Amino acid sequence: KAGVTQTPRYLIKTRGQQVTLSCSPISGHRSVSWYQQTPGQGLQFLFEYFSETQRNKGNFPGRFSGRQFSNSRSEMNVSTLELGDSALYLCASSRDSFNEKLFFGSGTQLSVL
Amino acid sequence: EDKVVQSPLSLVVHEGDTVTLNCSYEVTNFRSLLWYKQEKKAPTFLFMLTSSGIEKKSGRLSSILDKKELFSILNITATQTGDSAVYLCAVERTSGTYKYIFGTGTRLKVLA
């Protein structure tokens, strides 16, 4: 069974640009969530999608957005990049029932110059 | 405000040592507590704990939850260099915006 796949693995952008990250969940998983990880900050919740609907959103500015497609694949978009957006962006999927663990992808390392 | 706090932030030990990592939480609507190991990028699942006082064990790793005192510990015995990683603790909630709240992690380095 294939794991959670995130693309691209690495990205280098400059301030003001926008970026789109992709996540393919494990087959059969309908819940996809996104996290930002920076040194010393742990995993900060961005948003969660289920059946193409955003179910929850963390405390991030509107420059961060996402969507989910009918095949459960998800994309995350960050517009008008800032230096502080440099981070590892992790995607996780689950079957969305109780006591379900998250399965993580390898992340996209974004560097904003 | 709900929070998950891990200690210590970092730890350096020698092979063969035993380590104890701590995770305390103040979270409403608690459902379960999870431990993950993050070596390079993708955190990998270690344990899920839902009941107080029941130890989960996998090889040299074990974990236990105390729902009265609101903490969990992760023990690693006879550490090996391959145990070097960041260990993340997360609490799953039954409801609320943040279904999973993560701690900042404990960075463990095991020296040969």
Side-chain angles (χ1 to χ4, degrees):
Chain A
K1 199 174 189 181
V4 179
T5 305
Q6 289 189 248
T7 56
R9 296 291 300 274
Y10 301 92
L11 263 179
I12 299 175
K13 293 285 187 180
T14 56
R15 279 185 304 172
Q17 287 187 309
Q18 76 164 25
V19 66
T20 298
L21 313 181
S22 179
C23 172
S24 294
I26 290 173
S27 178
H29 286 192
R30 292 198 294 167
S31 172
V32 174
S33 51
W34 290 87
Y35 293 84
Q36 182 195 65
Q37 187 177 31
T38 53
Q41 291 294 315
L43 270 68
Q44 305 293 311
F45 173 74
L46 280 155
F47 25 65
E48 182 204 2
Y49 286 88
F50 179 80
S51 292
E52 302 179 65
T53 300
Q54 186 182 87
R55 194 156 63 173
N56 289 303
K57 189 177 193 306
N59 191 25
F60 278 82
R63 301 184 296 107
F64 291 81
S65 63
R67 59 179 175 168
Q68 187 180 34
F69 302 95
S70 57
N71 61 357
S72 293
R73 190 178 72 85
S74 177
E75 286 183 349
M76 189 192 103
N77 184 275
V78 188
S79 63
T80 320
L81 284 166
E82 300 178 359
L83 296 179
D85 296 334
S86 295
L88 177 67
Y89 290 88
L90 290 165
C91 164
S93 74
S94 72
R95 289 188 298 178
D96 191 54
S97 53
F98 299 135
N99 294 339
E100 283 289 332
K101 57 183 183 259
L102 295 174
F103 293 83
F104 285 90
S106 295
T108 294
Q109 185 69 54
L110 172 64
S111 297
V112 182
L113 306 178
Chain B
E1 183 185 334
D2 290 356
K3 60 183 178 181
V4 176
V5 179
Q6 292 186 245
S7 64
L9 291 180
S10 64
L11 193 54
V12 180
V13 300
H14 288 91
E15 272 193 319
D17 288 348
T18 293
V19 298
T20 298
L21 309 183
N22 303 292
C23 175
S24 63
Y25 62 92
E26 293 177 27
V27 175
T28 53
N29 306 315
F30 175 93
R31 180 181 295 283
S32 68
L33 186 142
L34 302 94
W35 284 96
Y36 284 85
K37 177 183 181 183
Q38 186 178 27
E39 290 181 80
K40 287 186 172 58
K41 296 288 172 70
T44 54
F45 173 78
L46 294 175
F47 297 112
M48 174 182 281
L49 303 146
T50 56
S51 300
S52 205
I54 298 176
E55 185 183 48
K56 291 281 184 87
K57 202 168 167 63
S58 176
R60 297 177 293 102
L61 277 67
S62 64
S63 184
I64 196 161
L65 174 67
D66 186 326
K67 290 170 76 171
K68 183 180 176 187
E69 299 298 328
L70 307 183
F71 76 91
S72 172
I73 59 172
L74 175 67
N75 276 322
I76 308 175
T77 59
T79 52
Q80 302 170 357
T81 54
D83 295 326
S84 296
V86 174
Y87 290 84
L88 297 166
C89 170
V91 170
E92 180 195 10
R93 305 193 304 172
T94 57
S95 63
T97 301
Y98 305 89
K99 186 178 179 186
Y100 296 90
I101 301 177
F102 282 81
T104 53
T106 292
R107 182 174 295 278
L108 173 65
K109 186 168 178 63
V110 182
L111 303 175

